[in-house]
Amino acid sequence: MPAAEHVRLGRKRTLPPCPNPLFLQWLSELRDQAAEKGQKTQYVYQKAISSLKKYPLPLQNAREAKILQNFGDGICKILDEKLQRHYRENGPDAPIHSLPSGVTVAPSRRSNNNLAQPTKQPSRKEREGGRRKREYVPQKRSGGYAVLLTLYRESQVPGGKGFMFKLELQAEAQHLSDKSFSVPDLGSKYTAWSSVSTLIQKDLVLKTHNPARYSLTELGLALAERLEDGEREQEEDRRRDVREEEEGSWPGVDLTAEEDERKKRTELVSLFLSACGRPIAGPDPAAYVAQRGSEVPGVHSSEKPQAAETKTRPAGGCLYPGSYDIVLCVDFIETTGGSTACKQELVKELQRNGVTFDVRKLNVGDFLWVAKERVAPVSGQLRAPPSRELVLDYIIERKRMDDLCGSIIDGRFREQKFRLKRCGLQKPIYLVEECGSAAAHLSLPETTLQQAIVNTQVVDGFFVKRVQDVKESVAYLTVMTRYLSKLYQNRTLVCRSRELEGDGQNEEECGGREREDPSCSLISFAEFNQGAVKNKCQTVREVFARQLMQISGLSGDKAVAILEHYSTLHSLLKAYEQCPSDTEREKLLSSIRYGKLKSFESHSLPALLYERSTVIDTHTLAVNPLFLGCH
């Protein structure tokens, strides 16, 4: 049987070499130089190289290359200068369609084409050891430094997933960086997270998937390991210094005598509190000693008060009078972007008025106040322990007239008011800057804007403060800060959860001015800001509420009233199916009351809502766009 012949599937044609190897070599050098510097022009040169490889005719000068794609005046001028230099060095008759001696042709590493690329042989100076490129090492406590260390420590965890998402990476790396990962510094748009792009360009960090996953490359792992070793050595040196300082400061400390002194002070405090009829704040009387020992007769603070304060912080999430400061929190959008001069004026005015403020990212509102715990630095630690922050019940949304007009047109106005009502703070405030006669030149009539402001106060129940410009806004913020500092100066603040809101305890406890030491339950800033995220995952009930509010005339109060009876779209459709006639279906929602004993009886909304619900497939619950929109 004859041997089977070799079957050739298709044919592969050998491509001819580039007739302009000198130009190709120069473009490759320009591309590699741009890539080393991280410049985006490397992609422009790569496109020009691809065009030149496809051109089958020899070029006499760079001007002729203008007919090729991706060749502009800039590239042609650079090639002309290199060509003139080539003629000066090698003579006017030097060939340009062949490579000079000492240059070999090597395959391209940056292109998928199999065309050869000229690669210059290293010179003798380079072979003997020229100047090496300096290795990139991020500065200590910078954003890149913190990211590398955090990813390295995650990779060393047994059974770890080997990568981190953006939010968890920012949270874990924050304590290793001096700059914030979410809020830029004043007058800057860069945060510590901006250095991640540099780590990716340097091939130290790998970014994959969507949502993005971050992990270390082999180069990044080696660099992070060296950084971790240096961090460990510094920590050991710091502990050794602290140990030597303690041994030199307190030689021969009798731990038994210190424990006896602590028991004696605890017994004395227990007797004093029993005599006064006051309960002990916490399970251990020693904690009360460390917190308020100066108020107890005969009890003095410890010889090392800083350490005692830190170890015996108030239990149960309480902040006692005198242990916290009232701080104004400013959303970073109010200090960056847009009209920079106007926003910088706000910061300067606050500083001029002596207001204690902090710029951070607020997921709802523009200004609010927090009670920030006073924390003393601990000996032997670089930073003080993180202080707890409780949000006061006042939040401000600032609106210029032009911003108010734009938010009404694009629908943000209703959504912002709805989110302010749901944020968990009891006293929202709208700060309106009228800006003189600017409202007369907006796309909405001034009467419409004034009516929207009145509705915000009368219908929605917000307190509206009108001012003329930024200076008056800062003056109001200054007065409010001083007022709140005086209002809360003698109050014990208790941290509560958002799950308990709406039970009436907050207003009753905070309103007791007649008591000498009233308590006030507030939510923590972290829980408040996390709960106010705009694009967080929503429940079916929340999605149904947003769908209802798209119907013209159906406000947030009415939507909430409907949700109390029918929490999902499915439950409402089931109720419609149980009604025997269309007339009863149209009047199904008429008995529901909302607001101050208002009902839907004299309202056309129940019939309109039933009309919209008829276009819904009850089996698939697929909502027709008419149900979500407005006529």
Side-chain angles (χ1 to χ4, degrees):
M1 186 175 183
E5 296 183 358
H6 176 67
V7 179
R8 229 178 131 181
L9 301 176
R11 58 182 180 175
K12 191 171 182 180
R13 185 175 57 183
T14 304
L15 296 177
C18 180
N20 302 287
L22 202 58
F23 288 162
L24 192 62
Q25 176 196 355
W26 291 338
L27 287 174
S28 300
E29 292 175 356
L30 292 172
R31 178 201 61 193
D32 294 340
Q33 291 173 5
E36 288 178 0
K37 297 177 182 178
Q39 297 175 348
K40 294 185 178 180
T41 51
Q42 58 176 309
Y43 307 112
V44 179
Y45 292 129
Q46 181 59 44
K47 292 179 180 179
I49 289 173
S50 301
S51 298
L52 185 61
K53 286 179 179 180
K54 298 175 184 177
Y55 190 63
L57 302 178
L59 299 172
Q60 300 302 324
N61 52 58
R63 290 190 299 274
E64 295 182 3
K66 275 193 175 182
I67 63 174
L68 301 180
Q69 192 177 10
N70 302 309
F71 275 81
D73 294 335
I75 292 180
C76 292
K77 182 179 179 181
I78 294 174
L79 293 179
D80 260 334
E81 292 175 355
K82 288 183 174 290
L83 185 60
Q84 296 302 324
R85 192 181 306 117
H86 175 74
Y87 283 143
R88 286 196 300 269
E89 293 175 355
N90 302 289
D93 298 330
I96 63 172
H97 300 118
S98 62
L99 293 175
S101 59
V103 177
T104 60
V105 177
S108 173
R109 291 178 298 176
R110 291 183 173 267
S111 176
N112 293 329
N113 299 330
N114 292 325
L115 295 178
Q117 267 193 357
T119 305
K120 187 176 179 181
Q121 289 183 348
S123 62
R124 188 168 72 93
K125 184 178 180 180
E126 292 174 346
R127 287 197 302 268
E128 292 177 355
R131 185 175 179 182
R132 297 197 315 178
K133 187 178 178 182
R134 184 178 178 183
E135 182 187 13
Y136 170 78
V137 178
Q139 187 178 0
K140 186 176 177 62
R141 296 201 64 80
S142 63
Y145 177 88
V147 169
L148 287 177
L149 278 184
T150 304
L151 289 176
Y152 174 76
R153 293 172 181 176
E154 171 65 23
S155 65
Q156 301 303 307
V157 176
K161 56 182 181 289
F163 63 86
M164 297 184 74
F165 293 105
K166 179 179 178 180
L167 291 180
E168 63 174 328
L169 179 56
Q170 288 179 336
E172 294 293 331
Q174 184 58 72
H175 73 282
L176 296 172
S177 174
D178 292 332
K179 290 186 66 175
S180 172
F181 274 87
S182 57
V183 181
D185 295 336
L186 289 177
S188 173
K189 62 180 180 180
Y190 297 104
T191 63
W193 184 254
S194 304
S195 59
V196 174
S197 58
T198 304
L199 298 178
I200 296 175
Q201 289 179 0
K202 300 293 183 181
D203 198 25
L204 298 173
V205 171
L206 184 64
K207 177 182 177 182
T208 58
H209 294 82
N210 186 17
R213 299 178 179 181
Y214 297 90
S215 58
L216 289 176
T217 62
E218 293 184 1
L219 292 176
L221 188 64
L223 177 58
E225 188 173 1
R226 298 204 308 270
L227 295 179
E228 178 69 16
D229 292 340
E231 185 79 10
R232 195 178 297 113
E233 290 176 2
Q234 290 187 3
E235 183 66 23
E236 291 177 358
D237 294 341
R238 192 181 303 117
R239 291 178 180 175
R240 190 183 306 112
D241 295 340
V242 172
R243 198 181 307 116
E244 292 175 356
E245 181 181 350
E246 291 178 351
E247 291 176 357
S249 300
W250 297 293
V253 177
D254 188 358
L255 298 179
T256 306
E258 184 178 347
E259 182 67 22
D260 293 341
E261 179 66 21
R262 178 177 174 275
K263 289 182 179 179
K264 187 184 301 182
R265 285 188 281 111
T266 302
E267 294 174 358
L268 185 57
V269 168
S270 302
L271 292 175
F272 173 77
L273 293 177
S274 301
C276 295
R278 296 176 61 181
I280 298 176
D284 186 5
Y288 195 84
V289 174
Q291 177 64 31
R292 308 185 68 172
S294 59
E295 301 178 11
V296 182
V299 179
H300 304 285
S301 58
S302 174
E303 293 180 0
K304 294 182 280 185
Q306 294 178 346
E309 275 186 30
T310 307
K311 294 179 181 178
T312 57
R313 298 166 73 181
C318 297
L319 295 180
Y320 296 104
S323 65
Y324 57 86
D325 297 312
I326 303 300
V327 179
L328 170 65
C329 294
V330 182
D331 186 19
F332 77 101
I333 297 296
E334 297 296 311
T335 61
T336 58
S339 178
T340 306
C342 182
K343 294 187 175 182
Q344 288 300 321
E345 183 182 359
L346 184 141
V347 174
K348 292 178 181 178
E349 287 293 326
L350 285 174
Q351 292 173 344
R352 188 177 296 115
N353 293 349
V355 177
T356 303
F357 69 96
D358 184 22
V359 179
R360 61 181 70 179
K361 181 178 180 180
L362 303 179
N363 290 325
V364 64
D366 297 321
F367 306 95
L368 56 83
W369 288 266
V370 297
K372 189 171 184 178
E373 181 186 14
R374 298 173 185 171
V375 179
V378 180
S379 175
Q381 294 186 8
L382 183 62
R383 287 184 156 197
S387 57
R388 290 173 297 173
E389 295 178 336
L390 301 182
V391 185
L392 307 188
D393 268 334
Y394 297 81
I395 184 170
I396 292 181
E397 178 71 26
R398 177 187 173 207
K399 288 289 184 187
R400 287 171 50 94
M401 276 298 191
D402 52 353
D403 186 23
L404 177 62
C405 176
S407 63
I408 292 176
I409 292 175
D410 60 21
R412 287 184 293 115
F413 186 55
R414 291 180 62 194
E415 184 210 5
Q416 287 174 346
K417 291 192 294 184
F418 182 73
R419 292 177 63 216
L420 283 171
K421 288 182 178 179
R422 298 287 300 276
C423 71
L425 304 185
Q426 305 294 329
K427 300 176 182 178
I429 301 172
Y430 252 83
L431 183 62
V432 181
E433 291 184 7
E434 299 186 349
C435 304
S437 60
H441 306 285
L442 299 176
S443 55
L444 289 179
E446 186 176 1
T447 54
T448 302
L449 300 179
Q450 297 296 339
Q451 185 63 49
I453 296 173
V454 172
N455 290 344
T456 301
Q457 184 167 11
V458 177
V459 178
D460 298 310
F462 287 21
F463 178 78
V464 176
K465 174 65 178 179
R466 297 172 182 253
V467 294
Q468 292 297 325
D469 51 18
V470 178
K471 289 189 176 181
E472 288 194 13
S473 296
V474 174
Y476 179 70
L477 293 173
T478 304
V479 172
M480 280 293 298
T481 304
R482 294 170 181 170
Y483 165 74
L484 293 176
S485 299
K486 185 176 180 181
L487 179 66
Y488 286 88
Q489 65 181 355
N490 293 323
R491 296 192 176 184
T492 299
L493 307 183
V494 182
C495 181
R496 65 177 172 90
S497 174
R498 285 287 300 272
E499 298 176 357
L500 302 178
E501 67 180 4
D503 55 6
Q505 293 180 359
N506 192 35
E507 295 186 34
E508 293 176 5
E509 292 177 349
C510 292
R513 289 194 175 191
E514 68 278 5
R515 287 180 289 178
E516 180 183 354
D517 186 13
S519 62
C520 185
S521 61
L522 304 172
I523 61 178
S524 66
F525 176 79
E527 184 180 2
F528 161 79
N529 218 27
Q530 183 65 28
V533 175
K534 186 175 182 180
N535 295 323
K536 65 179 181 179
C537 295
Q538 296 179 328
T539 63
V540 178
R541 176 187 175 95
E542 291 172 338
V543 173
F544 184 38
R546 298 188 69 173
Q547 291 174 344
L548 289 174
M549 291 180 62
Q550 299 303 313
I551 299 177
S552 178
L554 210 158
S555 63
D557 292 339
K558 299 172 185 175
V560 171
I562 295 175
L563 288 175
E564 290 179 356
H565 293 78
Y566 308 101
S567 59
T568 62
L569 179 60
H570 182 71
S571 61
L572 179 60
L573 293 177
K574 288 296 183 183
Y576 279 135
E577 289 179 358
Q578 295 174 1
C579 294
S581 63
D582 289 344
T583 304
E584 293 189 12
R585 294 190 185 100
E586 292 180 358
K587 295 181 179 181
L588 176 65
L589 304 179
S590 301
S591 60
I592 296 178
R593 298 187 177 275
Y594 67 94
K596 297 180 180 179
L597 300 181
K598 298 177 183 177
S599 66
F600 289 104
E601 286 186 8
S602 60
H603 209 289
S604 60
L605 273 177
L608 177 61
L609 188 58
Y610 171 66
E611 177 187 346
R612 298 293 177 89
S613 67
T614 56
V615 297
I616 302 174
D617 185 354
T618 57
H619 299 288
T620 61
L621 295 182
V623 182
N624 189 289
L626 289 175
F627 180 76
L628 299 179
C630 306
H631 288 308

